[in-house]
Amino acid sequence: METYSYLNIFETKGLEYILLILFMIMFVFLYRYTKAGIKNDRD
C-alpha cells in the first residue's frame, strides 16, 4: 500500500492562475458594487 502520492507543483499552476484571475474579477465587481452603494447612501 502506497501512502506517499507525488504532487507536481507545475501541474497545479494553471488552476492557481485561473483562481487568481477569477478572484481579481470578483474583487472588481465587489468594489464597484460597494462604491455604487456608497453613492446612493449620500443622496
Side-chain angles (χ1 to χ4, degrees):
M1 189 173 187
E2 187 177 323
T3 57
Y4 178 76
S5 63
Y6 176 71
L7 177 66
N8 187 358
I9 61 168
F10 298 108
E11 291 176 353
T12 60
K13 285 293 182 186
L15 180 62
E16 291 175 2
Y17 284 127
I18 290 172
L19 289 175
L20 178 67
I21 291 169
L22 288 175
F23 177 77
M24 294 300 282
I25 291 170
M26 293 303 292
F27 183 76
V28 169
F29 284 123
L30 178 66
Y31 181 76
R32 288 182 180 177
Y33 178 75
T34 56
K35 288 300 242 183
I38 291 171
K39 287 180 184 176
N40 291 337
D41 289 340
R42 290 182 182 172
D43 291 338

